[in-house]
């Protein structure tokens, strides 16, 4: 079963666009809807109106040039995987774009349809994993620094000067949750003289 993906291609050269589109549409691995824009502002407008699974960007177009083309689009759509289309003279810029957040780059005139589609699929998967990781990291709360704690009741003072129960403070500032039990020392102090407790300890030790 083919995977359906929406592909935005930013390319102003009709010949390059035709070759790339033909290669993608000939693939037996994916079923694609290809959207084309010949200017950066049109590409951004299209991506705002429709769901884009991946964008293929030519960096040199009438209204933008070089790395700025990628940076401007990436700033608008940081979660969208981007593949750079590059000629021989643009190789270094394409590599820099990858360092700045693009997922990969393709050489113009790439003859292998399977190589193109593989690049697109890998780019989508890498971006998906990166997005999941960013979401997971955003949910992580870390306690650090010096915490003022009462030496008697063990409450913690927050930034506003209020004293909070230890469990409540930790739950608010981390992803930890609590279950309650009682340790052996406290059990001995509370119930050490009770007959039922003495019998229970004997049975546990037997």
């Amino acid at each position: 079963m083919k995977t359906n993906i929406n592909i935005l291609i930013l390319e102003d050269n009709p010949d390059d666009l035709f070759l790339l589109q033909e290669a993608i549409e000939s693939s037996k691995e994916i079923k694609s809807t290809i959207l084309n824009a010949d200017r950066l502002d049109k590409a951004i407008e299209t991506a705002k109106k429709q769901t884009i699974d991946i964008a293929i960007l030519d960096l040199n177009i009438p209204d933008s040039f070089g790395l700025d083309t990628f940076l401007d689009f990436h700033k608008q759509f940081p979660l969208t995987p981007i593949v750079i289309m590059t000629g021989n003279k643009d190789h270094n810029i394409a590599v820099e774009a990858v360092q700045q957040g693009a997922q990969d780059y393709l050489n113009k005139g790439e003859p292998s349809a399977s190589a193109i589609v593989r690049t697109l699929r890998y780019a989508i998967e890498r971006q998906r994993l990166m997005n999941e990781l960013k979401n997971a990291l955003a949910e992580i709360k870390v306690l650090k620094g010096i915490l003022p704690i009462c030496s008697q009741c063990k409450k913690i003072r927050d930034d506003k000067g209020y004293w909070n129960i230890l469990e409540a403070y930790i739950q608010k500032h981390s992803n930890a949750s609590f279950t309650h039990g009682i340790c052996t020392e406290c059990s001995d102090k509370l119930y050490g003289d009770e007959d039922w407790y003495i019998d229970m300890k004997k049975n546990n030790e037997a």
Side-chain angles (χ1 to χ4, degrees):
M1 182 176 180
K2 289 187 176 182
T3 302
N4 293 277
I5 60 174
N6 291 336
I7 304 172
L8 172 63
I9 302 177
L10 174 58
E11 176 59 76
D12 66 321
N13 185 307
D15 293 334
D16 289 337
L17 174 63
F18 174 78
L19 292 174
L20 179 59
Q21 186 168 337
E22 187 178 54
I24 294 172
E25 291 178 344
S26 68
S27 171
K28 297 180 180 180
E29 298 179 52
I30 62 172
K31 181 179 180 181
S32 61
T33 299
I34 296 179
L35 307 168
N36 173 238
D38 58 1
R39 298 173 63 90
L40 178 60
D41 57 358
K42 292 181 181 179
I44 292 174
E45 183 180 354
T46 299
K48 286 181 178 179
K49 292 180 179 179
Q50 303 191 48
T51 300
I52 302 299
D53 295 307
I54 189 166
I56 305 174
L57 306 183
D58 181 1
L59 297 181
N60 300 322
I61 48 176
D63 63 338
S64 186
F65 184 81
L67 188 63
D68 288 341
T69 305
F70 162 73
L71 293 175
D72 290 345
F73 188 90
H74 183 56
K75 183 178 180 180
Q76 293 277 344
F77 309 100
L79 302 183
T80 299
I82 297 172
V83 171
I84 305 299
M85 284 296 294
T86 178
N88 293 331
K89 296 180 180 179
D90 301 326
H91 178 78
N92 291 336
I93 298 177
V95 172
E96 188 173 354
V98 171
Q99 293 171 344
Q100 295 287 336
Q103 286 301 330
D104 211 334
Y105 63 90
L106 285 168
N107 292 315
K108 287 190 175 184
E110 168 63 58
S112 171
S114 61
I116 293 173
V117 171
R118 184 168 61 249
T119 296
L120 299 183
R121 296 185 71 174
Y122 286 179
I124 291 172
E125 180 62 15
R126 282 195 299 269
Q127 187 68 51
R128 183 188 68 80
L129 293 174
M130 288 178 61
N131 293 343
E132 290 182 356
L133 178 59
K134 288 179 180 179
N135 290 335
L137 290 175
E139 294 176 359
I140 294 175
K141 298 178 180 178
V142 179
L143 287 174
K144 59 182 179 180
I146 298 174
L147 300 177
I149 185 169
C150 175
S151 59
Q152 183 64 31
C153 68
K154 306 304 180 184
K155 288 182 179 178
I156 294 177
R157 190 178 68 220
D158 62 22
D159 296 336
K160 297 181 180 180
Y162 295 104
W163 290 94
N164 299 268
I165 297 173
L166 178 63
E167 295 97 319
Y169 185 90
I170 293 177
Q171 284 183 321
K172 182 178 179 181
H173 294 83
S174 75
N175 289 330
S177 58
F178 290 87
T179 59
H180 290 85
I182 188 166
C183 71
T184 303
E185 291 184 7
C186 291
S187 296
D188 290 341
K189 290 179 181 178
L190 291 171
Y191 310 118
D193 296 333
E194 300 288 340
D195 293 338
W196 66 268
Y197 182 70
I198 295 173
D199 292 338
M200 182 189 72
K201 284 195 69 176
K202 287 181 179 179
N203 290 332
N204 290 336
E205 292 171 356

